[in-house]
Amino acid sequence: MRIRLLAFVLLSAALVTAQDLASSSASTGGSASKGVELSDMNRAIDPCTDFFEYANGNWRAQNPIPASMVRWSRRWRSGETIKDDIKVILDDAAANKSAAPGSTERLIGDYYGACTNETKINAAGLKPVEPWLAEIDAAKDTVQLLGVMAKLHDIGVTVPFALGGAQDPHQPTMVLADISANGLSLPERDYYLGSEVRLQEARTKFVEHVTKMFRLMGADEAAAGAASKIVLNMETHLAEASLDPASLRDPKATDHKTTFAQLQAMASHVGWDAYFEHLKLPKDVALNVQEPKFLAEVDREIQSVPLADWKTYLKWQVLNSAAPFLSANFVDQDFAFNGKFLNGATELKPRWKRCAESTDELLGEALGKEYVARHFPPEAKAKMQELIRNVLAAMHDDILSLPWMGEETKKRALAKLATFNVKVGYPDKWKDYSHVAVTRDNFWDNVVAGRRFNVDDNRSLIGKPVDRGRWGMTPPTSNAYYTPLLNEIVFPAGILVPPAFDVHASDAMNYGAIGVVIGHEISHGFDDEGSQYDELGALRNWWTGDDLKKFQERGSCVAKQFDGYFIEPGVHHNGKLVLGESIGDLGGAKIAFKAYQKSLEGKPRPANVDGFTPEQQFFIAWGQWRGDAVRIETQRVMVQSDPHPIGKFRVNGPLSNLPEFQQAFSCKAGADMVRAERCEVW
């Protein structure tokens, strides 16, 4: 996510007018009047009691989660529909076997063609990864094994640590070498350490899963069982030395600038001289070690764990990484644990869809260039840019009006807001994949080639000035993000489709859906994590002491609120873990509503649509876009490791704090959707 940072002037930002939107809609042959999805709503529910159920309870009841999915809503369905569009692109490319070597069409066509040739993949079995397993076996001592480990890092098997390029938080114009903890197969550390029954069960199932995978590799039952216990034991020791997910959200917890000499002293048995030589990195390059305690544990295990056990661990990591790309027996076992047990899906996605996802993951901008050409018209980008300007302007006004923030801090906050860079749709400059060696003969080799490209692409940035034109998501991705070190918000083309964004929808609907997403990403610049970075992207305090204390108190209110949201008896969200996303949702809804109200100034009040006021449409749009049904298994993983709350609480949580919501639906004090202790940050 190393992307361009441009000045973004807010004070004179013009708001989108109703005529602008009508004109945009007219250019696509529609009218800007589409309102809420009436058939989605459960009108038997009081919106002041459970707005999540009111807004789209009928849709969830009539559209159960498909067997291959772990979440489902109109939003998630739109993401899957994009893959249908991608399939057409890939089918066309795969059919054209005469495309020029090195061309985008040849690259994605050959990759997809090899991936969809399941007969050939099944016939190959384990053979594609046997050279890697043999190289691990051939290591005669720790030094040789560390050399194999470096080669595994080249293809994205980054265990037990990873080294990549990242912006220097103290000199954000430069890229340093960042060393992070890795090497755990389960979602996060408490899966290894927690005493809860569900976590103990996960460990038991994990051992069974690893045993079955080693059996598929040819080991007998006794050897496979012993191997699984070695893997669990090594990963447990690594987990004990790891930070938990909530702690990892604090940038100061992973900020440890280090010299090469200090790195050697920290973990003297890793063989850093040879490792840096393999990566072709100079020893005087700027370095950061995210988790020194973890690296010290890696060093201890290199000294104390037998060579044979290390080989077992690395073989498992290769197999775990490669399993989704091997023959059906490996794919099925991988899915049985990771897809079915951990997340609750009951069947694999179709082969073509998994291949489309893999193409996007490894060759995303090559595929994305064609996706944008077919599915993202210039007028959609222009309209989205104007909506963003409106929400940024609303944030500007909001900061000015905050009663709890002093003038000095307001000036710094406005300075940060004024430097927000906005990216919409796709990169200005596309990556060059012409030298990536892809054929139709060996799918795993293609995966390795794609991974090598991405690893090398990232490493090539180290020690150089930040390239602000780069993107952290591919154009077809149905998502958005904020990067604090670049102070930018990014909206790929894949999210700019209904129900998030629709040129035929009423303004209230667009502001309530994509507008809240825009506000959410802007708010990330001022959440508990983003607020620690200044307008240049440097990790530096810009708050007065009094204002920082008030801000943290307001954040504590949000954390406390989400601590109280249970997914099942005894299992609730971790308020500190989801604090950033929850501040983003709360600020996003408030700011987007302000932007919508501001866009109406000086104009006739819009008519009600389908019996709903514009204000009601705004909030229903958010409830209908964010109204995810989530499998309980996935919810259990989320509360342990995901900084995002589940959909129900992302709808009801922020809206229950807003007086504007209470007014729109005439909710009485004491209603479930009207919190007695309202939280307000932005």
Side-chain angles (χ1 to χ4, degrees), residues 66-70 205 209-210 212-213 216 316 319-320 322-351 354 357 631 633-634:
S68 64
M69 298 293 293
V70 298
K205 293 289 188 181
H209 167 56
V210 177
K212 290 176 181 177
M213 291 290 262
L216 290 176
W316 158 248
L319 187 60
N320 191 38
F325 311 103
L326 298 177
S327 54
N329 52 347
F330 290 100
V331 171
D332 291 344
Q333 180 54 42
D334 179 74
F335 172 76
F337 179 74
N338 291 297
K340 190 172 184 178
F341 170 71
L342 282 182
N343 287 291
T346 57
E347 68 180 38
L348 275 165
K349 288 184 179 181
R351 182 82 195 184
R354 286 179 278 138
E357 291 172 347
R631 295 188 186 278
E633 295 89 349
T634 298

Side-chain angles (χ1 to χ4, degrees), residues 167-174 466 468 485-486 534 536-539:
Q167 273 182 267
D168 186 336
H170 304 287
Q171 192 180 359
T173 59
M174 297 298 295
V466 171
R468 299 184 182 276
L485 287 128
L486 289 166
D534 68 12
L536 300 177
L539 184 58

Side-chain angles (χ1 to χ4, degrees), residues 77-95:
R77 188 176 69 176
S78 73
E80 295 303 293
T81 300
I82 286 171
K83 291 164 192 171
D84 293 332
D85 298 331
I86 289 173
K87 182 179 186 297
V88 174
I89 295 169
L90 293 171
D91 282 341
D92 289 348

Side-chain angles (χ1 to χ4, degrees), residues 347-664:
E347 68 180 38
L348 275 165
K349 288 184 179 181
R351 182 82 195 184
W352 73 262
K353 188 171 286 189
R354 286 179 278 138
C355 291
E357 291 172 347
S358 180
T359 309
D360 183 47
E361 179 184 0
L362 294 181
L363 307 170
E365 288 192 18
L367 174 62
K369 187 175 183 180
E370 184 60 30
Y371 173 80
V372 165
R374 298 193 190 191
H375 297 286
F376 191 61
E379 56 267 26
K381 182 171 183 175
K383 179 177 177 180
M384 180 63 180
Q385 288 170 325
E386 292 184 353
L387 285 170
I388 294 169
R389 284 200 295 271
N390 293 353
V391 181
L392 282 164
M395 182 66 172
H396 177 274
D397 292 348
D398 180 68
I399 292 172
L400 281 177
S401 67
L402 289 174
W404 58 269
M405 183 181 283
E407 292 303 313
E408 182 180 346
T409 306
K410 283 183 180 181
K411 288 179 183 178
R412 298 304 303 271
L414 291 173
K416 180 169 185 175
L417 190 66
T419 59
F420 261 63
N421 184 42
V422 175
K423 291 183 174 180
V424 175
Y426 51 89
D428 294 330
K429 181 181 178 181
W430 300 96
K431 290 182 180 179
D432 177 12
Y433 295 85
S434 59
H435 62 285
V436 180
V438 168
T439 71
R440 303 221 178 185
D441 297 327
N442 187 317
F443 178 51
W444 170 247
D445 282 356
N446 291 345
V447 172
V448 168
R451 288 183 176 185
R452 281 190 191 278
F453 170 83
N454 287 287
V455 169
D456 290 345
D457 182 55
N458 173 264
R459 288 177 180 170
S460 71
L461 307 174
I462 297 173
K464 297 177 182 176
V466 171
D467 178 357
R468 299 184 182 276
R470 297 171 70 88
W471 279 54
M473 287 181 179
T474 67
T477 301
S478 179
N479 211 334
Y481 66 94
Y482 167 79
T483 304
L485 287 128
L486 289 166
N487 199 31
E488 67 181 7
I489 49 177
V490 184
F491 303 91
I495 199 174
L496 303 179
V497 296
F501 176 75
D502 188 349
V503 294
H504 303 300
S506 68
D507 291 3
M509 294 296 292
N510 273 326
Y511 275 99
I514 197 63
V516 178
V517 177
I518 296 167
H520 173 100
E521 299 305 337
I522 293 170
S523 296
H524 271 319
F526 303 93
D527 67 15
D528 62 310
E529 182 177 359
S531 62
Q532 298 184 53
Y533 296 85
D534 68 12
E535 70 274 12
L536 300 177
L539 184 58
R540 185 172 67 87
N541 179 48
W542 47 270
W543 298 72
T544 65
D546 186 52
D547 287 342
L548 181 59
K549 181 179 179 182
K550 292 176 182 176
F551 171 73
Q552 291 170 339
E553 289 172 350
R554 289 169 179 270
S556 294
C557 177
V558 177
K560 180 181 177 182
Q561 176 184 356
F562 280 81
D563 275 337
Y565 286 145
F566 285 73
I567 64 165
E568 59 186 354
V571 183
H572 60 85
H573 273 299
N574 177 344
K576 290 183 179 179
L577 176 60
V578 301
L579 180 56
E581 297 299 329
S582 301
I583 290 176
D585 286 340
L586 176 58
K590 177 183 176 181
I591 296 161
F593 188 82
K594 282 178 173 286
Y596 176 57
Q597 294 293 306
K598 194 173 181 67
S599 74
L600 300 177
E601 291 177 359
K603 306 178 185 69
R605 177 176 172 79
N608 293 358
V609 177
D610 297 321
F612 293 101
T613 67
E615 293 79 11
Q616 290 172 334
Q617 292 175 60
F618 174 94
F619 291 114
I620 293 171
W622 176 244
Q624 294 192 335
W625 187 77
R626 183 53 77 189
D628 302 344
V630 185
R631 295 188 186 278
I632 187 60
E633 295 89 349
T634 298
Q635 292 184 46
R636 291 170 185 149
V637 174
M638 290 178 69
V639 298
Q640 290 294 136
S641 59
D642 196 329
H644 300 83
I646 65 168
K648 178 178 181 177
F649 302 133
R650 297 193 71 175
V651 173
N652 290 353
L655 299 191
S656 65
N657 287 302
L658 297 182
E660 296 87 350
F661 172 83
Q662 180 183 6
Q663 182 178 356

Side-chain angles (χ1 to χ4, degrees), residues 233-254:
N233 184 57
M234 289 187 67
E235 293 193 5
T236 299
H237 288 148
L238 294 174
E240 288 170 342
S242 301
L243 292 175
D244 64 85
S247 298
L248 284 168
R249 292 196 59 258
D250 180 1
K252 293 186 178 67
T254 56

